[in-house]
Amino acid sequence: MKRAIPNIEVIRLEAAAWLAQLETAEMDSADLAALREWMGRSRSHVAELRRLAQLSASMNVMNDFAGPLEEAAATFEPVVRQRPGIRLYPALGLAMVFVAMLTLLTQFNRDEPEPRSLVTRVGEYVEHTLSDGSHIALNTDSRLEIAFTAEVREVTLLEGEALFTVAKDPVRPFVVNAGSRRITVVGTVFLVRVGATAVEVAVTEGMVALHATTAAVVDAAPSPDSPDSIEPVHLRERQSLKLPMNEQVPQLNIKTISDSDLRRKLAWREGLLDFYRTPLTEVVAEVSRHTGMRISILDPELREREFDGLFRVGETELLLQALAVHGDIRLTRVGADTVLLRHAVESP
């Protein structure tokens, strides 16, 4: 029995409906669970939601084109109305026009020379296709250098986070330098995050070889005869590993990533922050990374308090309101971009 192929127009409508509901900020726990379930059904669902989220973020700078584009968008109405049971939001026709515009712009940009670096500021995200066909999605507040030669395709992630989709080339490996660590692949998809003290690698497809450059990395089951082995560690699909930036570690802790964990790790590509049983320290760190806001937890016992929520990147006020009603947490604002969190029962 053949499996039905999803209609891209239906997926696009569903993604737009979810995006519109996210923007209303009127989603309860059941809505969040339903959205996660919809995203988990297919990679095409996630890809379309990401695409429309990027378009939505761009609409505020295209107001001058609203009139002509609304007229063009009207040509989509007869097609859409033939599909019963789908709720069409007003911005959808306009978003479809933006999709076509961005597709044309992408085609015109294919012949641009390889950049030497990619940089994102706080709250900014960049996607770039390299000359070999590999693709880089660069998260907020990140810096990456590119140095391709005839022998090797090499990039260096100086800080931040990037998702690499590597085109296969058996004679020219793709190498990512991150801190003192070196990741070598031929063709695969993997995420690298460089923090202040650690490097994290998560593989979504294929396999990567993780090497140490200035410090030895030992295997998960090291041999007593070779405790300082520098053999690469192989991470396979749905595996992740977090290592200190430069230090040697006595034993590796390779983790298995569930589909839901992977979606949360990559939620930023859809313009979302997705938290599920996430310690408050990690929540405020992610918010600060994407917005530049300084959030301090004054009471140590709150640091491991778990928090659930799904937010559009930049909706800081909604997230802070959610924290305020989450329990016995009180927010104190110090200036425009600093917030203090403490137990509500305590005096200021």
Side-chain angles (χ1 to χ4, degrees):
M1 181 177 178
K2 293 184 178 180
R3 187 171 63 180
I5 300 175
N7 188 304
I8 185 60
E9 292 185 18
V10 174
I11 295 175
R12 186 169 297 159
L13 288 167
E14 292 175 345
W18 280 119
L19 185 61
Q21 189 170 355
L22 277 169
E23 291 180 339
T24 66
E26 297 177 357
M27 295 187 68
D28 56 22
S29 58
D31 293 326
L32 294 178
L35 175 55
R36 289 192 179 103
E37 189 276 332
W38 181 84
M39 293 172 67
R41 287 187 216 164
S42 170
R43 292 180 182 175
S44 59
H45 289 185
V46 175
E48 192 60 34
L49 185 62
R50 174 174 60 86
R51 185 156 44 239
L52 290 184
Q54 291 173 336
L55 291 170
S56 175
S58 301
M59 285 181 182
N60 62 342
V61 297
M62 301 192 70
N63 289 336
D64 292 341
F65 298 94
L69 287 178
E70 285 288 2
E71 295 178 6
T75 62
F76 288 91
E77 292 181 0
V79 177
V80 173
R81 286 172 180 167
Q82 293 175 6
R83 300 189 177 279
I86 300 293
R87 182 178 178 185
L88 177 62
Y89 287 82
L92 179 58
L94 193 58
M96 288 180 174
V97 178
F98 287 148
V99 170
M101 290 176 62
L102 289 187
T103 300
L104 290 173
L105 289 174
T106 299
Q107 292 174 350
F108 279 114
N109 288 332
R110 283 179 181 172
D111 295 330
E112 291 184 354
E114 196 81 88
R116 294 183 178 180
S117 64
L118 295 176
V119 179
T120 56
R121 295 166 294 183
V122 173
E124 185 181 20
Y125 313 90
V126 168
E127 300 207 15
H128 180 76
T129 299
L130 300 170
S131 59
D132 69 327
S134 298
H135 187 80
I136 298 175
L138 198 62
N139 202 352
T140 179
D141 196 19
S142 301
R143 290 191 302 131
L144 181 146
E145 293 181 348
I146 303 169
F148 277 22
T149 69
E151 292 77 27
V152 64
R153 300 170 290 169
E154 187 167 10
V155 300
T156 300
L157 184 61
L158 299 171
E159 62 179 322
E161 184 174 23
L163 177 70
F164 300 93
T165 303
V166 178
K168 291 185 178 180
D169 188 342
V171 300
R172 195 165 63 139
F174 193 98
V175 174
V176 177
N177 299 310
S180 65
R181 314 302 176 183
R182 186 177 176 89
I183 304 116
T184 304
V185 301
V186 172
T188 187
V189 182
F190 62 102
L191 183 72
V192 181
R193 181 168 176 172
V194 175
T197 60
V199 173
E200 183 177 5
V201 181
V203 181
T204 67
E205 294 180 17
M207 182 174 67
V208 307
L210 179 58
H211 308 258
T213 57
T214 62
V217 180
V218 299
D219 199 354
S223 167
D225 299 328
S226 56
D228 296 324
S229 171
I230 57 173
E231 289 296 317
V233 178
H234 291 92
L235 296 180
R236 293 170 173 79
E237 186 170 323
R238 295 296 194 272
Q239 287 186 334
S240 69
L241 179 61
K242 189 173 184 179
L243 293 172
M245 185 66 72
N246 298 305
E247 301 172 10
Q248 180 178 335
V249 292
Q251 186 171 349
L252 300 181
N253 182 21
I254 298 176
K255 296 182 178 180
T256 300
I257 312 171
S258 66
D259 288 343
S260 57
D261 287 338
L262 184 59
R263 286 197 301 273
R264 279 188 285 276
K265 282 182 177 293
L266 297 177
W268 56 271
R269 295 197 68 202
E270 285 73 59
L272 302 171
L273 295 177
D274 190 352
F275 304 113
Y276 178 69
R277 296 181 180 177
T278 307
L280 194 56
T281 51
E282 296 181 21
V283 172
V284 299
E286 279 300 290
V287 174
S288 297
R289 194 161 70 100
H290 286 265
T291 65
M293 177 170 284
R294 295 187 292 272
I295 305 176
S296 299
I297 304 174
L298 300 184
D299 299 320
E301 55 269 33
L302 290 180
R303 297 182 184 278
E304 298 305 313
R305 178 79 61 86
E306 292 182 341
F307 181 79
D308 295 347
L310 185 64
F311 302 90
R312 290 287 303 276
V313 171
E315 292 181 343
T316 311
E317 289 302 316
L318 291 176
L319 189 145
L320 292 177
Q321 292 172 21
L323 286 176
V325 300
H326 186 62
D328 55 347
I329 299 177
R330 184 175 63 190
L331 282 68
T332 303
R333 298 179 184 274
V334 182
D337 59 355
T338 301
V339 174
L340 307 178
L341 303 181
R342 69 183 77 195
H343 277 305
V345 294
E346 294 189 357
S347 58

